């Protein structure tokens, strides 16, 4: 009960700070997470640099590329249309969704959200009313109310439905799709974060370099982040993963490119410019600094 009250007070304080001063919100959340002050004047590690860029970088291109619908056009322009997950529909309001036209299985999400994916394994069991209420709420959600990720607020919200990728048809057994999240710096892939066996509140994750060497020393176990239960073999599409990440990330000082591999085929997930909103507490200080050192700000990104 006491813990619940503390969380309510904390979240209320964060909400008020978001309305009054997004910069103060970021500082408060950083201190709450790491028990140290955020270095805004001379950012060093990747968390500090991500938070610095929220306020001092030109994030105008982030708007379309963080948009899970519009980014599809960018991927096509890069000649990578074949890695896009098939799209079933796009709607600006819940009332526009043609539920009958959707296949027996699908994935539904908003284009501006985070972690709001609804997975339908059997449409005959779908509670349309409940799903509609959920997405009406998600369409109103503003990321700036939580982490000052203001570029998300410039995305015009919509709902999309895509093909459900079958996690049972992956090379490695996992209760969920395996995410291959490639940290990339101005067109140069550096490390691959693997996330698997997701539950509602946890996932297993690990860090690999581009030669697929495993680096358990770079990760920390937390309440939500668990170490890998097995060391995964290199994905069959690894060379193409790295090529895709390089092509999509060119011209950005840092971006994480998220990919999947199902039945030996590569699929695009999303582009993330503010990973964990710059509050990553599941990496070692050493790894956060390594990523920070690789993040060299590109002049055209910096606001004058």
């Amino acid at each position: 009960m006491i813990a619940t009250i503390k969380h309510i007070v904390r979240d209320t304080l964060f909400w008020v700070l978001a309305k009054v001063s997004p910069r103060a919100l970021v500082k408060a959340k950083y201190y709450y997470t790491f028990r140290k002050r955020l270095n805004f004047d001379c950012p060093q590690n990747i968390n500090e640099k991500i938070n610095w860029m929220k306020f001092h970088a030109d994030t105008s291109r982030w708007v379309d590329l963080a948009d899970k619908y519009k980014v599809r056009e960018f991927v096509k322009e890069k000649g990578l249309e074949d890695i896009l997950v098939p799209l079933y529909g796009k709607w600006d309001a819940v009332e526009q969704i043609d539920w009958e036209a959707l296949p027996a299985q699908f994935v539904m999400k908003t284009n501006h959200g985070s972690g709001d994916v609804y997975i339908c394994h059997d449409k005959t069991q779908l509670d349309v009313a409940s799903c509609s209420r959920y997405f009406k709420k998600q369409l109103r959600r503003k990321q700036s109310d939580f982490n000052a990720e203001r570029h998300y607020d410039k995305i015009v919200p919509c709902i999309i439905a895509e093909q459900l990728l079958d996690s049972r048809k992956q090379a490695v057994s996992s209760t969920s799709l395996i995410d291959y999240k490639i940290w990339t710096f101005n067109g140069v892939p550096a490390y691959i974060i693997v996330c698997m066996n997701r539950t509602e509140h946890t996932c297993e994750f690990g860090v690999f370099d581009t030669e697929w060497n495993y680096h358990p020393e770079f990760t920390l176990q937390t309440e939500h982040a668990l170490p890998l239960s097995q060391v995964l073999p290199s994905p069959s599409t690894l060379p193409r993963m790295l090529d895709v990440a390089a092509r999509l990330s060119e011209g950005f000082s840092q971006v994480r490119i998220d990919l999947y591999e199902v039945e030996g085929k590569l699929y695009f997930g999303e582009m993330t410019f503010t990973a964990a909103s710059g509050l990553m507490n599941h990496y070692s200080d050493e790894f956060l600094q390594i990523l920070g050192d690789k993040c060299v700000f590109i002049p055209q990104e910096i606001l004058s």
Side-chain angles (χ1 to χ4, degrees):
M1 182 63 177
I2 294 176
T4 300
I5 293 174
K6 286 183 178 179
H7 289 158
I8 293 173
V9 171
R10 175 203 64 188
D11 293 344
T12 301
L13 173 61
F14 287 159
W15 184 86
V16 171
L17 285 174
K19 299 300 183 183
V20 175
S21 171
R23 190 181 179 97
L25 169 68
V26 166
K27 288 183 175 181
K29 296 198 79 168
Y30 192 90
Y31 186 83
Y32 179 84
T33 302
F34 299 106
R35 291 296 187 267
K36 60 184 178 181
R37 294 178 61 186
L38 172 60
N39 185 353
F40 257 133
D41 296 327
C42 186
Q44 297 297 313
N45 69 39
I46 193 65
N47 278 326
E48 292 174 337
K49 289 189 174 182
I50 286 174
N51 280 297
W52 186 91
M53 293 185 78
K54 291 178 186 178
F55 299 93
H56 300 286
D58 179 358
T59 62
S60 56
R61 292 187 68 196
W62 294 11
V63 178
D64 285 348
L65 301 185
D67 183 324
K68 295 178 178 63
Y69 177 68
K70 285 190 175 181
V71 71
R72 296 174 64 90
E73 189 58 38
F74 177 72
V75 174
K76 290 179 184 179
E77 291 171 359
K78 291 291 186 176
L80 300 169
E81 184 174 4
D82 65 298
I83 68 172
L84 290 172
V85 178
L87 182 71
Y88 293 142
K90 175 258 184 185
W91 308 275
D92 297 321
V94 170
E95 292 77 13
Q96 297 174 355
I97 301 174
D98 184 352
W99 298 98
E100 292 299 322
L102 288 169
Q105 297 183 327
F106 59 87
V107 170
M108 188 172 282
K109 55 191 173 184
T110 59
N111 62 327
H112 71 312
S114 176
D116 64 345
V117 176
Y118 185 91
I119 301 175
C120 177
H121 291 282
D122 181 359
K123 197 172 72 171
T124 64
Q125 303 299 314
L126 177 65
D127 185 336
V128 172
S130 175
C131 190
S132 296
R133 288 192 298 271
Y134 174 75
F135 278 103
K136 283 182 179 179
K137 179 179 179 180
Q138 293 302 318
L139 285 175
R140 297 192 298 268
R141 182 183 175 96
K142 293 184 65 175
Q143 289 296 96
S144 60
D145 288 345
F146 301 93
N147 295 308
E149 295 169 300
R150 296 176 294 177
H151 60 289
Y152 282 104
D153 291 347
K154 297 177 183 178
I155 297 173
V156 178
C158 70
I159 303 166
I160 61 175
E162 296 176 332
Q163 176 183 319
L164 174 62
L165 302 179
D166 193 342
S167 61
R168 298 170 300 177
K169 296 182 179 180
Q170 300 178 111
V172 177
S173 178
S174 172
T175 59
S176 62
L177 282 176
I178 300 173
D179 290 270
Y180 297 93
K181 301 174 181 289
I182 305 180
W183 274 104
T184 313
F185 302 90
N186 194 19
V188 181
Y191 289 95
I192 304 156
I193 314 302
V194 174
C195 299
M196 61 186 296
N197 291 327
R198 289 182 180 274
T199 68
E200 184 178 356
H201 300 292
T202 65
C203 81
E204 296 177 12
F205 83 111
V207 176
F208 294 80
D209 61 31
T210 55
E211 299 297 323
W212 206 252
N213 298 302
Y214 181 41
H215 292 276
E217 72 276 12
F218 288 160
T219 60
L220 302 175
Q221 182 170 338
T222 70
E223 178 183 0
H224 304 293
L226 308 176
L228 290 176
S229 56
Q230 58 179 308
V231 179
L232 279 66
S234 171
S236 63
T237 59
L238 179 60
R240 185 148 195 239
M241 284 185 182
L242 298 175
D243 177 64
V244 164
R247 290 164 68 177
L248 294 179
S249 67
E250 187 176 4
F252 296 103
S253 58
Q254 65 84 31
V255 61
R256 200 189 68 206
I257 309 296
D258 296 358
L259 304 168
Y260 308 107
E261 182 186 272
V262 178
E263 292 190 277
K265 176 173 169 47
L266 186 63
Y267 290 95
F268 173 78
E270 62 184 75
M271 295 177 67
T272 302
F273 293 90
T274 50
S277 196
L279 295 171
M280 292 171 282
N281 64 349
H282 48 284
Y283 296 131
S284 68
D285 288 343
E286 177 190 7
F287 188 57
L288 292 171
Q289 190 59 54
I290 288 173
L291 296 181
D293 290 342
K294 292 182 179 296
C295 178
V296 178
F297 297 134
I298 300 170
Q300 62 266 30
E301 286 185 312
I302 307 307
L303 293 171
S304 57

